[in-house]
Amino acid sequence: MRPNESLEFRRLADTAPAILWVTDASGQCTFLSRGWYEMTGQNEAEALGYGWLEALHPDDRPAMRARFARASRTGKAFALDYRVRCRDGGYRWALDAANPRHADDGSFAGFAGSVIDIDDRRRSEDNYRALFNSIEEGVCILQVLFDGRQQPRDYRFLEVNPAFSRHTGLADPVGHTAREMLPDLEEHWFEIYGRVAMSGEPERFEQGSDAMGRWFSVYAFRIGDPAGHTVALLFTDITARRRQEQALRDAEQRKDEFLATLAHELRNPLAPIRTSLYVLKLNQDPETATRMLDILMRQVDQLTHLVDDLTEVSRITRGRIELRAVDIPLASVLRNAAESVQPTLAQSGQSLQIDVPPEPLWLRADPVRLGQVFINLLNNAARYSRENTTIRVVASAEGTDAVVSVRDEGMGIAREHLQSIFDLFTQVDRQHSADTRGLGIGLALVRSLVQMHGGNVTARSEGRGQGAEFIVRLPLHAPGQAAATPADGTAKPFSGLRVLVADDNRDAAESMGEWLSAFGAETIVVHDGHAALTMAQMHLPHVALLDLGMPELSGLEVAQRLRAVPGAADMRLIAITGWGQARDRAGTEAAGFDHHMTKPPDIALLRSLLQEAHRELADPVASDAAQDG
C-alpha cells in the first residue's frame, strides 16, 4: 500500500463507526483505529502486538487469548464478545468479529476485524435474563408444530425459566418436544396452543393433566412472526389449590349428607316412641303396656347411643376426654359389650360367638371407654349383616399386644374404602345396605378411643358381600407393673420425658398432647413451624413429633435448623406426615429425622419409640451399651 493510500485508509478507519483492526499471519495486531485508543486509553506501543489483550476484563482475557490463538491457527472467521476496560476504569461489553485476509498467492495473511460497543444491548439482555429467571411463575416459550393439514401435532420447548421445572416436574426440556417428554400428554394442550399460534388471540385458562398429575393456571399468547408459530406461556401449578377446593366440596357434601342423616336418625326413633305413647294412653292392658315399654326403651336407647356418640366425638376432637384406667381382664370388657348388644342381635336372629384364651389378658384401660369400642364394633357388625348370621369375636395375645378380631358375614367393604371408613361422618355404600342407620361416627370414635389406649384398629374385607373384619390391638399389661395410663396420677411411665408436638392440625396436635400427658410426658404443643423451632430451642425436648406440612416453616426446615442448634444433636426427631413414599422418607432422612411415620401414626410403634427414648433418658450408659452390642 502506497503512503497516500495508507494515510487515506487510516483516515477512513478512524472515522468509521466501529473500531477496525488488522493482524498479521502470526496473530500479532499491526493496526488499530483511533476508536480503540480513545475507548481504552492505551497508546499504540501498549496496544499493538498482543498488548490489546491487557485492556480486556481479567475474567474474559484467558478465553479470548485461547480463542484468538485457535482462530489464527485455523484461519477461520470468528465472532465473540467480551468486556473492555474503558479510560474511566469501567467496563463495557464489545462484539469483536473478524474475517481472514489472504495474500496474492492465497496463503493466510492474518485477520481484518471490527469491534462494536454492545454494552447497552448486552445489559438490556442481562436485565431481561435476570427478570426472566427471577419470575416465580413458570415461563415457557414454545414452537407449535403442525402437520400437513395444519393440525397441531406437537410443540417444541425453545426456552424456559428456572421455575418451569418446579411447576411441571420436567427437567431440561429445551430442544425436546412435548410428546418426547410426555408420550401420554392429553390432546387439549396441543389444541389450545395451536389455536393461539394460528389466531394470535391470547387465552387464559385452568386445565389439569393426568399425564403430569397436576393442574395449571395458564396464560398463553403468540410472540414474534406469526409464521413462526411461537407461543409464550406464563403458568402456575395450582394442584394444591384445586385439591383444597375439592376437599372443601367433599366436606360440604359430607356435611349435607350428615345433616340429612342426622334428621333421618332422629325421626326414626321418634315415630315408634310417639306411636307407643298413643297406644299406652288408649290401652291399659298389661301385656300391651309391656310391649310398648320395650319399644320405648329400645328407641330411647337408640337416641341415647346417638347422642353419646356425638358427645364423645366432640370431646375427643377438643381434647377434653379423660381415661380412668384400671387393671381389667379383656374378657370382662368383651362380655359386658356382648350383653349391651344382645337385644339388637336378638331382633335379627343373629348369634355371637366369643373365643378368648383360658389365661386372662390383662389391660390397663378405662372399662367404659373400651366398652364403647367393642359395643360400636358389634353394633356395626349386626347392622350390616343379614338376619340369622353369626358374628365372631376372637381374642389372643401376640407378643406384647392383645389382639381382638370382630368378624361378620355382612355386606363387606370395598378395598378402596378400608381406610376412609374411620374418618368422621363417613359411611360407605349406605345405599347398598338394608339398614341405613348411623351417622358415620362410630368407627371414628372407635379409632380415637383405641389410640388413646395406646393401640390401633384396622379393617379387612375381601370385598362386597364377603363380610368384614375389624382388628383391635391393645398393649397388654401385667397387674402390678407400672400402668400405661395412670389411674391415680402416680404411675407415669414417661415421667421426665419432654416431648414437643408440632402440627397445624389443632385437633391432631391437642389429642396427641393429651395422650402423651396421660403417659406422664411433659408435653409442649404448638401449631406452626416457627413456634416449634422457638419452643425446641427454649426447652430442648428429648423427642419432637413434627408434622411436615406446617405453614411458613415446614417440618423439614424445622428439623434442618434444629440439627444445627447446640445441645439438640441428641434430640429424637420423628416425622408424622401424610406422605409415605420412598422419596418422602429419603427427604426426612436428609433433613435429619430419626423416624418417619405416616398419619394416622401407629400408636404401638410410637409408644415403642417413646419407651426407647425414655430408657435412654433413665439410663443413657446402658442404652448406649445395648446399641453398641
Side-chain angles (χ1 to χ4, degrees), residues 479-524:
Q481 292 183 347
T485 303
D488 56 7
T490 59
K492 298 189 176 185
F494 294 158
S495 179
L497 187 69
R498 287 192 304 280
V499 183
L500 171 69
V501 179
D503 195 326
D504 60 330
N505 184 320
R506 291 181 174 268
D507 292 339
E510 297 296 338
S511 59
M512 179 62 74
E514 289 288 337
W515 181 77
L516 289 165
S517 296
F519 278 79
E522 179 185 333
T523 309
I524 307 157

Side-chain angles (χ1 to χ4, degrees), residues 380-401:
N380 241 34
R383 180 178 302 155
Y384 295 109
S385 294
R386 299 180 300 276
E387 293 184 355
N388 303 313
T389 57
T390 300
I391 298 167
R392 293 174 174 84
V393 178
V394 179
S396 63
E398 291 185 10
T400 59
D401 289 334

Side-chain angles (χ1 to χ4, degrees), residues 298 338-352 379 382 387-389 391:
R298 283 197 300 272
E339 290 175 356
S340 298
V341 301
Q342 195 57 49
T344 302
L345 299 174
Q347 277 187 306
S348 301
Q350 295 166 331
S351 61
L352 177 63
N379 272 326
E387 293 184 355
N388 303 313
T389 57
I391 298 167

Side-chain angles (χ1 to χ4, degrees), residues 518-559:
F519 278 79
E522 179 185 333
T523 309
I524 307 157
V525 178
V526 296
H527 306 294
D528 63 77
H530 287 298
L533 187 60
T534 300
M535 298 304 287
Q537 291 171 322
M538 288 176 58
H539 298 282
L540 290 178
H542 304 106
V543 180
L545 309 180
L546 303 177
D547 175 40
L548 297 189
M550 292 182 290
E552 298 185 17
L553 195 66
S554 72
L556 290 173
E557 293 172 301
V558 172

Side-chain angles (χ1 to χ4, degrees), residues 58-267:
D59 292 344
D60 300 340
R61 199 177 301 152
M64 182 58 186
R65 190 192 306 275
R67 180 70 182 276
F68 192 75
R70 184 167 65 252
S72 297
R73 288 194 305 271
T74 61
K76 294 183 178 179
F78 67 88
L80 47 83
D81 51 17
Y82 50 73
R83 288 164 289 180
V84 180
R85 185 181 65 247
C86 299
R87 185 184 293 271
D88 62 4
Y91 287 89
R92 295 184 69 82
W93 281 96
L95 173 64
D96 198 338
N99 286 317
R101 296 187 302 113
H102 297 91
D104 292 340
D105 60 2
S107 62
F108 176 67
F111 285 103
S114 64
V115 177
I116 301 174
D117 186 330
I118 60 168
D119 192 71
D120 291 341
R121 189 190 79 189
R122 179 60 183 261
R123 294 188 187 279
S124 177
E125 290 175 352
D126 288 346
N127 289 338
Y128 160 77
R129 177 58 54 189
L131 176 62
F132 185 77
N133 290 342
S134 67
I135 295 174
E136 286 296 320
E137 290 82 0
V139 180
C140 172
I141 299 174
L142 55 87
Q143 180 184 31
V144 182
L145 307 176
F146 291 86
D147 60 21
R149 296 176 296 129
Q150 288 300 295
Q151 295 298 313
R153 59 179 176 81
D154 205 346
Y155 53 84
R156 187 180 307 280
F157 297 100
L158 303 180
E159 191 172 4
V160 300
N161 71 337
F164 175 91
S165 293
R166 185 171 67 251
H167 286 282
T168 65
L170 300 177
D172 301 324
V174 173
H176 297 284
T177 69
R179 292 196 188 276
E180 287 174 349
M181 303 200 73
L182 295 163
D184 298 326
L185 188 63
E186 298 81 2
E187 288 298 323
H188 54 247
W189 298 105
F190 306 106
E191 294 169 0
I192 295 171
Y193 299 149
R195 189 164 59 244
V196 172
M198 294 297 289
S199 70
E201 294 293 326
E203 293 194 24
R204 189 184 300 275
F205 60 93
E206 291 186 0
Q207 186 67 57
S209 170
D210 291 335
M212 302 177 72
R214 303 180 188 221
W215 272 83
F216 300 96
S217 173
V218 184
Y219 179 59
F221 55 98
R222 189 175 71 190
I223 61 174
D225 184 353
H229 299 150
T230 305
V231 174
L233 310 179
L234 184 66
F235 65 94
T236 304
D237 180 359
I238 59 169
T239 308
R241 193 198 80 195
R242 294 286 298 207
R243 287 175 177 167
Q244 290 172 352
E245 290 172 350
Q246 186 60 49
L248 288 174
R249 287 192 292 270
D250 291 345
E252 187 71 16
Q253 181 179 351
R254 288 171 66 186
K255 183 199 73 174
D256 291 343
E257 291 177 354
F258 167 71
L259 291 176
T261 306
L262 177 60
H264 177 266
E265 288 296 296
L266 290 174
R267 290 191 183 100

